[in-house]
PDB file of all heavy atoms in Angstrom:
ATOM      1  N   ALA A1301      -1.747   1.705  -7.674  1.00  0.00           N
ATOM      2  CA  ALA A1301      -1.576   3.136  -7.408  1.00  0.00           C
ATOM      3  C   ALA A1301      -2.910   3.803  -7.084  1.00  0.00           C
ATOM      4  O   ALA A1301      -2.965   4.739  -6.275  1.00  0.00           O
ATOM      5  CB  ALA A1301      -0.912   3.821  -8.597  1.00  0.00           C
ATOM      6  N   ASP A1302      -4.002   3.335  -7.706  1.00  0.00           N
ATOM      7  CA  ASP A1302      -5.323   3.878  -7.389  1.00  0.00           C
ATOM      8  C   ASP A1302      -5.602   3.770  -5.890  1.00  0.00           C
ATOM      9  O   ASP A1302      -6.002   4.747  -5.239  1.00  0.00           O
ATOM     10  CB  ASP A1302      -6.418   3.101  -8.132  1.00  0.00           C
ATOM     11  CG  ASP A1302      -6.409   3.318  -9.630  1.00  0.00           C
ATOM     12  OD1 ASP A1302      -5.960   4.391 -10.078  1.00  0.00           O
ATOM     13  OD2 ASP A1302      -6.866   2.413 -10.354  1.00  0.00           O
ATOM     14  N   PHE A1303      -5.410   2.576  -5.344  1.00  0.00           N
ATOM     15  CA  PHE A1303      -5.746   2.348  -3.943  1.00  0.00           C
ATOM     16  C   PHE A1303      -4.706   2.951  -3.001  1.00  0.00           C
ATOM     17  O   PHE A1303      -5.052   3.423  -1.913  1.00  0.00           O
ATOM     18  CB  PHE A1303      -5.929   0.854  -3.683  1.00  0.00           C
ATOM     19  CG  PHE A1303      -7.271   0.355  -4.122  1.00  0.00           C
ATOM     20  CD1 PHE A1303      -7.432  -0.226  -5.367  1.00  0.00           C
ATOM     21  CD2 PHE A1303      -8.385   0.504  -3.321  1.00  0.00           C
ATOM     22  CE1 PHE A1303      -8.676  -0.667  -5.798  1.00  0.00           C
ATOM     23  CE2 PHE A1303      -9.631   0.073  -3.727  1.00  0.00           C
ATOM     24  CZ  PHE A1303      -9.785  -0.519  -4.973  1.00  0.00           C
ATOM     25  N   ALA A1304      -3.445   2.961  -3.410  1.00  0.00           N
ATOM     26  CA  ALA A1304      -2.425   3.594  -2.560  1.00  0.00           C
ATOM     27  C   ALA A1304      -2.697   5.080  -2.409  1.00  0.00           C
ATOM     28  O   ALA A1304      -2.580   5.647  -1.307  1.00  0.00           O
ATOM     29  CB  ALA A1304      -1.037   3.358  -3.157  1.00  0.00           C
ATOM     30  N   ARG A1305      -3.080   5.738  -3.494  1.00  0.00           N
ATOM     31  CA  ARG A1305      -3.374   7.169  -3.411  1.00  0.00           C
ATOM     32  C   ARG A1305      -4.670   7.432  -2.661  1.00  0.00           C
ATOM     33  O   ARG A1305      -4.767   8.375  -1.872  1.00  0.00           O
ATOM     34  CB  ARG A1305      -3.433   7.779  -4.819  1.00  0.00           C
ATOM     35  CG  ARG A1305      -2.066   7.900  -5.470  1.00  0.00           C
ATOM     36  CD  ARG A1305      -2.107   8.732  -6.720  1.00  0.00           C
ATOM     37  NE  ARG A1305      -2.459  10.117  -6.462  1.00  0.00           N
ATOM     38  CZ  ARG A1305      -1.627  11.036  -5.967  1.00  0.00           C
ATOM     39  NH1 ARG A1305      -0.394  10.700  -5.648  1.00  0.00           N
ATOM     40  NH2 ARG A1305      -2.024  12.275  -5.782  1.00  0.00           N
ATOM     41  N   GLY A1306      -5.671   6.604  -2.888  1.00  0.00           N
ATOM     42  CA  GLY A1306      -6.918   6.781  -2.158  1.00  0.00           C
ATOM     43  C   GLY A1306      -6.726   6.621  -0.664  1.00  0.00           C
ATOM     44  O   GLY A1306      -7.237   7.431   0.134  1.00  0.00           O
ATOM     45  N   ALA A1307      -5.980   5.604  -0.259  1.00  0.00           N
ATOM     46  CA  ALA A1307      -5.717   5.382   1.166  1.00  0.00           C
ATOM     47  C   ALA A1307      -4.917   6.530   1.765  1.00  0.00           C
ATOM     48  O   ALA A1307      -5.109   6.901   2.933  1.00  0.00           O
ATOM     49  CB  ALA A1307      -4.981   4.058   1.354  1.00  0.00           C
ATOM     50  N   MET A1308      -4.019   7.109   0.974  1.00  0.00           N
ATOM     51  CA  MET A1308      -3.191   8.212   1.460  1.00  0.00           C
ATOM     52  C   MET A1308      -4.046   9.413   1.861  1.00  0.00           C
ATOM     53  O   MET A1308      -3.733  10.117   2.824  1.00  0.00           O
ATOM     54  CB  MET A1308      -2.197   8.613   0.356  1.00  0.00           C
ATOM     55  CG  MET A1308      -1.283   9.769   0.712  1.00  0.00           C
ATOM     56  SD  MET A1308       0.019  10.014  -0.537  1.00  0.00           S
ATOM     57  CE  MET A1308      -0.943  10.566  -1.939  1.00  0.00           C
ATOM     58  N   TYR A1309      -5.140   9.641   1.137  1.00  0.00           N
ATOM     59  CA  TYR A1309      -5.987  10.794   1.419  1.00  0.00           C
ATOM     60  C   TYR A1309      -7.116  10.480   2.403  1.00  0.00           C
ATOM     61  O   TYR A1309      -7.783  11.393   2.894  1.00  0.00           O
ATOM     62  CB  TYR A1309      -6.577  11.334   0.118  1.00  0.00           C
ATOM     63  CG  TYR A1309      -5.549  12.009  -0.765  1.00  0.00           C
ATOM     64  CD1 TYR A1309      -5.247  11.504  -2.023  1.00  0.00           C
ATOM     65  CD2 TYR A1309      -4.874  13.147  -0.324  1.00  0.00           C
ATOM     66  CE1 TYR A1309      -4.298  12.124  -2.827  1.00  0.00           C
ATOM     67  CE2 TYR A1309      -3.935  13.762  -1.130  1.00  0.00           C
ATOM     68  CZ  TYR A1309      -3.650  13.254  -2.386  1.00  0.00           C
ATOM     69  OH  TYR A1309      -2.712  13.867  -3.170  1.00  0.00           O
ATOM     70  N   ALA A1310      -7.371   9.198   2.680  1.00  0.00           N
ATOM     71  CA  ALA A1310      -8.432   8.834   3.616  1.00  0.00           C
ATOM     72  C   ALA A1310      -8.005   9.162   5.047  1.00  0.00           C
ATOM     73  O   ALA A1310      -6.829   8.987   5.416  1.00  0.00           O
ATOM     74  CB  ALA A1310      -8.748   7.348   3.491  1.00  0.00           C
ATOM     75  N   GLU A1311      -8.935   9.612   5.857  1.00  0.00           N
ATOM     76  CA  GLU A1311      -8.622   9.882   7.262  1.00  0.00           C
ATOM     77  C   GLU A1311      -8.236   8.570   7.947  1.00  0.00           C
ATOM     78  O   GLU A1311      -9.011   7.609   7.967  1.00  0.00           O
ATOM     79  CB  GLU A1311      -9.836  10.485   7.961  1.00  0.00           C
ATOM     80  CG  GLU A1311      -9.585  10.835   9.422  1.00  0.00           C
ATOM     81  CD  GLU A1311     -10.800  11.439  10.094  1.00  0.00           C
ATOM     82  OE1 GLU A1311     -11.798  11.708   9.387  1.00  0.00           O
ATOM     83  OE2 GLU A1311     -10.755  11.626  11.320  1.00  0.00           O
ATOM     84  N   GLY A1312      -7.021   8.521   8.483  1.00  0.00           N
ATOM     85  CA  GLY A1312      -6.537   7.304   9.127  1.00  0.00           C
ATOM     86  C   GLY A1312      -6.234   6.185   8.159  1.00  0.00           C
ATOM     87  O   GLY A1312      -6.085   5.025   8.560  1.00  0.00           O
ATOM     88  N   GLY A1313      -6.124   6.506   6.864  1.00  0.00           N
ATOM     89  CA  GLY A1313      -5.881   5.478   5.853  1.00  0.00           C
ATOM     90  C   GLY A1313      -4.459   4.951   5.886  1.00  0.00           C
ATOM     91  O   GLY A1313      -3.523   5.639   6.304  1.00  0.00           O
ATOM     92  N   GLN A1314      -4.306   3.716   5.436  1.00  0.00           N
ATOM     93  CA  GLN A1314      -2.991   3.082   5.358  1.00  0.00           C
ATOM     94  C   GLN A1314      -2.902   2.271   4.072  1.00  0.00           C
ATOM     95  O   GLN A1314      -3.876   1.643   3.662  1.00  0.00           O
ATOM     96  CB  GLN A1314      -2.775   2.109   6.519  1.00  0.00           C
ATOM     97  CG  GLN A1314      -2.925   2.684   7.909  1.00  0.00           C
ATOM     98  CD  GLN A1314      -2.794   1.585   8.950  1.00  0.00           C
ATOM     99  OE1 GLN A1314      -1.690   1.188   9.325  1.00  0.00           O
ATOM    100  NE2 GLN A1314      -3.920   1.057   9.395  1.00  0.00           N
ATOM    101  N   ALA A1315      -1.735   2.301   3.452  1.00  0.00           N
ATOM    102  CA  ALA A1315      -1.477   1.450   2.289  1.00  0.00           C
ATOM    103  C   ALA A1315      -0.264   0.589   2.592  1.00  0.00           C
ATOM    104  O   ALA A1315       0.773   1.097   3.031  1.00  0.00           O
ATOM    105  CB  ALA A1315      -1.247   2.296   1.043  1.00  0.00           C
ATOM    106  N   PHE A1316      -0.401  -0.704   2.354  1.00  0.00           N
ATOM    107  CA  PHE A1316       0.678  -1.650   2.615  1.00  0.00           C
ATOM    108  C   PHE A1316       1.134  -2.267   1.294  1.00  0.00           C
ATOM    109  O   PHE A1316       0.319  -2.791   0.528  1.00  0.00           O
ATOM    110  CB  PHE A1316       0.211  -2.768   3.548  1.00  0.00           C
ATOM    111  CG  PHE A1316      -0.230  -2.296   4.908  1.00  0.00           C
ATOM    112  CD1 PHE A1316      -1.564  -1.995   5.145  1.00  0.00           C
ATOM    113  CD2 PHE A1316       0.688  -2.140   5.943  1.00  0.00           C
ATOM    114  CE1 PHE A1316      -1.984  -1.559   6.393  1.00  0.00           C
ATOM    115  CE2 PHE A1316       0.281  -1.701   7.196  1.00  0.00           C
ATOM    116  CZ  PHE A1316      -1.060  -1.412   7.424  1.00  0.00           C
ATOM    117  N   ILE A1317       2.425  -2.173   1.033  1.00  0.00           N
ATOM    118  CA  ILE A1317       3.037  -2.911  -0.068  1.00  0.00           C
ATOM    119  C   ILE A1317       3.755  -4.093   0.562  1.00  0.00           C
ATOM    120  O   ILE A1317       4.655  -3.915   1.399  1.00  0.00           O
ATOM    121  CB  ILE A1317       4.037  -2.041  -0.848  1.00  0.00           C
ATOM    122  CG1 ILE A1317       3.326  -0.857  -1.516  1.00  0.00           C
ATOM    123  CG2 ILE A1317       4.774  -2.885  -1.879  1.00  0.00           C
ATOM    124  CD1 ILE A1317       2.402  -1.233  -2.654  1.00  0.00           C
ATOM    125  N   VAL A1318       3.342  -5.303   0.185  1.00  0.00           N
ATOM    126  CA  VAL A1318       3.876  -6.506   0.841  1.00  0.00           C
ATOM    127  C   VAL A1318       4.725  -7.301  -0.138  1.00  0.00           C
ATOM    128  O   VAL A1318       4.440  -7.361  -1.335  1.00  0.00           O
ATOM    129  CB  VAL A1318       2.730  -7.376   1.387  1.00  0.00           C
ATOM    130  CG1 VAL A1318       1.979  -6.635   2.494  1.00  0.00           C
ATOM    131  CG2 VAL A1318       1.749  -7.790   0.294  1.00  0.00           C
ATOM    132  N   THR A1319       5.782  -7.903   0.386  1.00  0.00           N
ATOM    133  CA  THR A1319       6.653  -8.740  -0.436  1.00  0.00           C
ATOM    134  C   THR A1319       7.514  -9.613   0.467  1.00  0.00           C
ATOM    135  O   THR A1319       7.876  -9.211   1.574  1.00  0.00           O
ATOM    136  CB  THR A1319       7.554  -7.884  -1.343  1.00  0.00           C
ATOM    137  OG1 THR A1319       8.328  -8.741  -2.183  1.00  0.00           O
ATOM    138  CG2 THR A1319       8.494  -6.995  -0.545  1.00  0.00           C
ATOM    139  N   ARG A1320       7.811 -10.799   0.024  1.00  0.00           N
ATOM    140  CA  ARG A1320       8.810 -11.608   0.723  1.00  0.00           C
ATOM    141  C   ARG A1320      10.161 -10.939   0.535  1.00  0.00           C
ATOM    142  O   ARG A1320      10.431 -10.336  -0.499  1.00  0.00           O
ATOM    143  CB  ARG A1320       8.828 -13.028   0.164  1.00  0.00           C
ATOM    144  CG  ARG A1320       7.512 -13.772   0.353  1.00  0.00           C
ATOM    145  CD  ARG A1320       7.485 -15.048  -0.471  1.00  0.00           C
ATOM    146  NE  ARG A1320       6.174 -15.683  -0.406  1.00  0.00           N
ATOM    147  CZ  ARG A1320       5.780 -16.659  -1.211  1.00  0.00           C
ATOM    148  NH1 ARG A1320       6.603 -17.089  -2.169  1.00  0.00           N
ATOM    149  NH2 ARG A1320       4.585 -17.191  -1.075  1.00  0.00           N
ATOM    150  N   ALA A1321      11.021 -11.060   1.525  1.00  0.00           N
ATOM    151  CA  ALA A1321      12.316 -10.366   1.474  1.00  0.00           C
ATOM    152  C   ALA A1321      13.195 -10.861   0.334  1.00  0.00           C
ATOM    153  O   ALA A1321      14.013 -10.105  -0.202  1.00  0.00           O
ATOM    154  CB  ALA A1321      13.043 -10.509   2.802  1.00  0.00           C
ATOM    155  N   THR A1322      13.034 -12.129  -0.055  1.00  0.00           N
ATOM    156  CA  THR A1322      13.843 -12.700  -1.134  1.00  0.00           C
ATOM    157  C   THR A1322      12.962 -13.481  -2.096  1.00  0.00           C
ATOM    158  O   THR A1322      11.854 -13.913  -1.747  1.00  0.00           O
ATOM    159  CB  THR A1322      14.926 -13.652  -0.592  1.00  0.00           C
ATOM    160  OG1 THR A1322      14.297 -14.697   0.158  1.00  0.00           O
ATOM    161  CG2 THR A1322      15.913 -12.915   0.299  1.00  0.00           C
ATOM    162  N   THR A1323      13.456 -13.655  -3.303  1.00  0.00           N
ATOM    163  CA  THR A1323      12.785 -14.498  -4.276  1.00  0.00           C
ATOM    164  C   THR A1323      13.024 -15.966  -3.940  1.00  0.00           C
ATOM    165  O   THR A1323      13.787 -16.298  -3.030  1.00  0.00           O
ATOM    166  CB  THR A1323      13.303 -14.220  -5.693  1.00  0.00           C
ATOM    167  OG1 THR A1323      14.682 -14.617  -5.748  1.00  0.00           O
ATOM    168  CG2 THR A1323      13.199 -12.749  -6.033  1.00  0.00           C
ATOM    169  N   SER A1324      12.384 -16.859  -4.695  1.00  0.00           N
ATOM    170  CA  SER A1324      12.584 -18.296  -4.468  1.00  0.00           C
ATOM    171  C   SER A1324      14.029 -18.712  -4.703  1.00  0.00           C
ATOM    172  O   SER A1324      14.498 -19.703  -4.148  1.00  0.00           O
ATOM    173  CB  SER A1324      11.651 -19.100  -5.375  1.00  0.00           C
ATOM    174  OG  SER A1324      11.864 -18.765  -6.735  1.00  0.00           O
TER     175      SER A1324
END
């Protein structure tokens, strides 16, 4: 959350949450 919020306020910032679509 620290980095997601920081990126949200940065000029041109982006936050990516990554995950495989399914579990094993």
